[in-house]
Amino acid sequence: ELQDLPREVFAADPTSTCQTPDTEVLYRCRKCRRALFRSSSILSHMEGSGPAAFAHKRITGSAQLRGGGREMCTSYFTEPVQWMEPALLGVLEGQLLCPKCTSKLGSFSWRGEQCSCGRWVTPAFQIHKSRVDEVRTLPVGNIQAAKT
């Protein structure tokens, strides 16, 4: 059992650092607006085989045809962020809750989880896209007046 993880494992908590660079997207809890992670913390993965990856569970051949081809990922897989540390210590899997309002954001598993696209991601710190909002910073110097 892990009772203590090295600090280097965790990405910086966006609330503990002063400024987000203009090129980075900040992700906030949709319910309470607390900053959760930055785009630099998102781990990319190759897209899986879509509905075919779940055929053993629930999807039949006719349902696959209605899927519309490419399946998009419905979650972000991130590196662990500092606010996740209390939930991660001593357990292999569990829920990820917002540190401010405790609404469910996603789940984690050190063994890995399957993405909605069918790809297996290990270890998995999965945040559902429907539970967070993207916050993009607009460059102030490049704003132009709209022409009418």
Side-chain angles (χ1 to χ4, degrees):
E1 286 184 24
L2 291 175
Q3 296 302 325
D4 195 27
L5 291 170
R7 288 273 167 231
E8 300 82 42
V9 171
F10 296 97
D13 191 332
T15 59
S16 65
T17 55
C18 39
Q19 188 75 21
T20 301
D22 289 344
T23 58
E24 276 198 294
V25 178
L26 184 65
Y27 293 85
R28 295 181 177 268
C29 172
R30 187 163 278 180
K31 188 173 181 183
C32 71
R33 309 291 297 148
R34 190 223 191 252
L36 298 170
F37 60 95
R38 293 187 175 88
S39 56
S40 60
S41 295
I42 296 175
L43 303 174
S44 62
H45 61 274
M46 298 279 293
E47 192 168 292
S49 56
F54 299 98
H56 67 283
K57 289 185 179 180
R58 65 181 181 271
I59 297 181
T60 62
S62 61
Q64 282 182 346
L65 296 175
R66 285 183 264 133
R70 275 183 69 152
E71 290 294 313
M72 298 300 291
C73 302
T74 59
S75 300
Y76 298 111
F77 286 89
T78 67
E79 59 187 341
V81 185
Q82 287 173 346
W83 59 264
M84 297 178 187
E85 185 175 11
L88 303 179
L89 293 178
V91 292
L92 287 177
E93 58 189 24
Q95 293 183 347
L96 290 175
L97 305 176
C98 175
K100 184 175 177 184
C101 69
T102 66
S103 66
K104 184 178 177 192
L105 300 171
S107 58
F108 73 93
S109 175
W110 290 101
R111 292 184 286 235
E113 291 182 353
Q114 197 169 22
C115 181
S116 60
C117 72
R119 178 66 60 185
W120 193 264
V121 180
T122 306
F125 303 95
Q126 183 177 28
I127 307 281
H128 300 295
K129 290 182 179 181
S130 63
R131 304 296 174 104
V132 294
D133 286 326
E134 287 185 5
V135 179
R136 296 180 186 269
T137 36
L138 295 174
V140 178
N142 294 343
I143 297 177
Q144 297 176 353
K147 296 180 181 178
T148 54

